Amino acid sequence: MQMKNKFHYDMVLRLRDNSVVVLPFNLHQALIRSGSNLTTSGSNANEASGESCISKPRAVVKACASWEGYPDKAIFVPRQYLRQTLAGPMVLYDTITKHGVPIVNTEQYFKHVLQRQGVP
């Protein structure tokens, strides 16, 4: 899709298959809450177009019941962390379960995977 549209995605929004979107998603506010730095002026390539430049990108999860972990209903992921975020749960399953890491629910498991993979 990127090659067809000649467009490079910086971030991807992943929704769990049983998630429902009922309200508009404010990307700008989500990035600010995540600690990502947004630059709309200065000496960057996007200044002329008025686009925001994202530095220090971080994964953003849906703000809901976390059960001492990270909910996996919706996650906005920087491109450089896609493999760790999307494939990490399956890749690390044997490693995590064999080492006796105390995981009680999927939210704790997802948090452990992202931390172990170095996803901010």
Side-chain angles (χ1 to χ4, degrees):
M1 183 168 217
Q2 291 181 86
M3 292 173 75
K4 178 182 172 186
N5 296 326
K6 298 179 181 172
F7 185 82
H8 179 84
Y9 294 99
D10 294 324
M11 299 186 88
V12 172
L13 177 63
R14 178 214 167 254
L15 299 175
R16 195 169 68 191
D17 61 353
N18 65 345
S19 292
V20 178
V21 179
V22 296
L23 295 172
F25 179 73
N26 187 323
L27 173 59
H28 191 261
Q29 287 300 317
L31 290 169
I32 290 171
R33 282 194 311 270
S34 77
S36 296
N37 293 332
L38 297 178
T39 305
T40 53
S41 62
S43 58
N44 64 51
N46 295 324
E47 183 179 357
S49 66
E51 296 176 13
S52 293
C53 177
I54 302 169
S55 62
K56 200 177 88 171
R58 305 174 61 84
V60 181
V61 297
K62 185 177 185 300
C64 63
S66 65
W67 302 101
E68 298 181 22
Y70 300 151
D72 67 342
K73 293 176 184 168
I75 183 167
F76 196 61
V77 186
R79 180 186 190 92
Q80 64 262 41
Y81 300 112
L82 277 176
R83 183 175 307 277
Q84 299 94 315
T85 303
L86 302 180
M90 291 303 295
V91 170
L92 292 175
Y93 180 77
D94 287 337
T95 303
I96 291 171
T97 55
K98 287 179 183 174
H99 285 87
V101 176
I103 305 283
V104 177
N105 54 46
T106 56
E107 289 80 6
Q108 288 179 11
Y109 179 72
F110 195 49
K111 179 180 180 178
H112 188 78
V113 167
L114 295 185
Q115 288 177 338
R116 188 173 182 123
Q117 295 277 22
V119 178

